[in-house]
Amino acid sequence: MRPWMVAVGAVVLVGAAHAATLYRWVGPHGVVTYQNTPPPSSAAHVRVIHTHSNVSPSAMRKAVSAMHPVVLYRAPHCAPCRQVSAYLHRRRVPFRAVDVSRGQAALQDMKSKTGSTTVPTIMVGKQVLVGYIPSALKNELKAAGYLKGPGG
């Protein structure tokens, strides 16, 4: 066997040892789940994502943010809007804030994308949350891959 073939084989094996597999699927009630174990047989829309274990948390956040961007539609004097914003900052979830009081265009954009004119309205990827319900927001962020562990 040629030495370069052995070297290439060793690199492939080392790379495979550092690779991690993440599974994404949609459950029976439409809940999107990410886990490092294969999904149950009842899962729909299963996707296998290969990552490397040496990926930094910030790089993983950027990847999740690209797949499931978070948008907060808010108004200046809305206390629940400030609570959502604080929660997202505290959890280090990148998000885009849209002030719907700045004009009809922002309000129409919100209505066309979410079907709502109520603030706060939060989009996590394509999921829409109207109002601030901490447990619902936490579940959506976990399902999208932003929060890890039991404390979230």
Side-chain angles (χ1 to χ4, degrees):
M1 188 176 256
R2 297 177 193 255
W4 67 269
M5 291 174 79
V6 173
V8 168
V11 167
V12 168
L13 287 175
V14 168
H18 287 95
T21 302
L22 187 65
Y23 299 89
R24 177 198 182 276
W25 70 89
V26 180
H29 300 288
V31 176
V32 177
T33 302
Y34 288 83
Q35 267 186 312
N36 60 354
T37 57
S41 59
S42 62
H45 307 289
V46 176
R47 187 169 48 179
V48 179
I49 303 165
H50 298 285
T51 64
H52 294 282
S53 59
N54 60 352
V55 174
S56 72
S58 65
M60 187 60 94
R61 245 189 319 275
K62 284 180 186 174
V64 169
S65 180
M67 289 173 53
H68 304 283
V70 176
V71 179
L72 167 61
Y73 292 97
R74 66 181 184 188
H77 301 292
C78 167
C81 298
R82 287 191 297 277
Q83 291 173 326
V84 172
S85 183
Y87 179 88
L88 294 171
H89 282 295
R90 209 170 36 253
R91 300 298 189 269
R92 295 185 177 169
V93 173
F95 69 99
R96 182 171 61 94
V98 177
D99 184 347
V100 297
S101 71
R102 294 208 176 245
Q104 203 60 20
L107 188 61
Q108 287 301 336
D109 179 58
M110 174 184 157
K111 187 174 182 178
S112 71
K113 290 181 179 173
T114 68
S116 175
T117 56
T118 303
V119 291
T121 293
I122 309 136
M123 289 186 69
V124 180
K126 294 184 188 267
Q127 300 298 318
V128 176
L129 300 161
V130 178
Y132 179 43
I133 302 168
S135 60
L137 179 57
K138 181 178 177 180
N139 288 339
E140 286 302 329
L141 293 172
K142 274 189 173 187
Y146 285 102
L147 306 179
K148 302 292 181 211

